Amino acid sequence: RTKKAIEAAKGGVLFVEEAYTLTPGGDKDFGIKALEIIMQAMTSNDPCRPIFIFAGYLRHMETFLAANPGMARRVAFQFHFEDFSTKELAAIFLRKAQKRGLEVSGHAEAALPGLLDAHFPAKIRALWNAGLADRLLSEAVQCLNARLDPCSATREQLSTLELCDVGAAASAAAAAVCALSSAFADDAPG
């Protein structure tokens, strides 16, 4: 599968998300073999070889690069992107809502950064990043659906997230996200 992915990416980019999963170790570890194939392709003389981009949490990526000295030599550039701020997460939420054909009331929009800050500690925001906006939007839509009767509500009401929806969603999402995050605390970035 690795060779097929490399072949398909020739002349372009091969993006390897959560690249650190290629170096977990073990007797039947196919990640190590995939990594060897990737490293061969990276040093190939083929002018159409893809550009490789490896992505993942900083701490895990440092381990990934240290796992094989040959890999560290082959990675010419490293970039670290800061986690999204609450204002950026609010903007992501708004774009995702718009893509789903939803409006967000002015009060809800204004409250979003504060709700994100109040309900989701920085460590949780770092772990979930933009996924937090997805989760919050999903919860907000559920709150909207529970609040309104589709037989009597107007189309505008049915497609507008109000502050009460987003506030209740933040509480519900925080409970779920924090519980999940504590269950997988070893995978936290840092």
Side-chain angles (χ1 to χ4, degrees):
R1 287 179 22 186
T2 303
K3 287 180 182 179
K4 285 181 183 178
I6 293 169
E7 189 64 33
K10 277 192 171 182
V13 175
L14 181 60
F15 184 83
V16 183
E17 190 170 4
E18 297 181 353
Y20 51 84
T21 61
L22 296 174
T23 57
D27 292 340
K28 296 181 179 179
D29 188 357
F30 298 106
I32 297 296
K33 183 63 179 163
L35 194 55
E36 289 171 2
I37 293 168
I38 289 170
M39 287 192 307
Q40 287 174 350
M42 290 173 78
T43 57
S44 154
N45 290 327
D46 183 348
C48 292
R49 74 175 180 263
I51 294 170
F52 290 85
I53 297 177
F54 302 99
Y57 292 121
L58 179 62
R59 181 180 50 150
H60 295 305
M61 291 305 293
E62 289 169 349
T63 303
F64 167 75
L65 290 173
N68 185 315
M71 177 52 80
R73 277 194 321 268
R74 289 169 174 86
V75 175
F77 302 100
Q78 295 180 36
F79 302 95
H80 173 70
F81 298 96
E82 293 299 321
D83 297 321
F84 292 116
S85 69
T86 52
K87 285 182 180 180
E88 291 167 325
L89 286 170
I92 292 167
F93 175 94
L94 294 170
R95 278 193 303 274
K96 289 178 178 287
Q98 184 181 31
K99 283 184 180 180
R100 289 180 66 172
L102 296 167
E103 297 290 327
V104 179
S105 75
H107 293 295
E109 183 175 344
L112 264 171
L115 288 168
L116 287 161
D117 196 41
H119 286 85
F120 305 97
K123 189 170 184 174
I124 297 297
R125 291 193 310 266
L127 179 63
W128 283 74
N129 255 325
L132 190 54
D134 285 324
R135 181 63 188 242
L136 185 59
L137 181 57
S138 176
E139 293 284 352
V141 168
Q142 288 181 30
C143 291
L144 171 70
N145 291 339
R147 180 173 58 83
L148 295 175
D149 177 1
C151 295
S152 60
T154 67
R155 179 175 284 222
E156 182 181 349
Q157 289 172 320
L158 291 169
S159 63
T160 302
L161 296 171
E162 298 291 345
L163 178 57
C164 60
D165 302 316
V166 178
S171 295
V177 164
C178 291
L180 280 171
S181 297
S182 65
F184 297 101
D186 291 341
D187 290 336

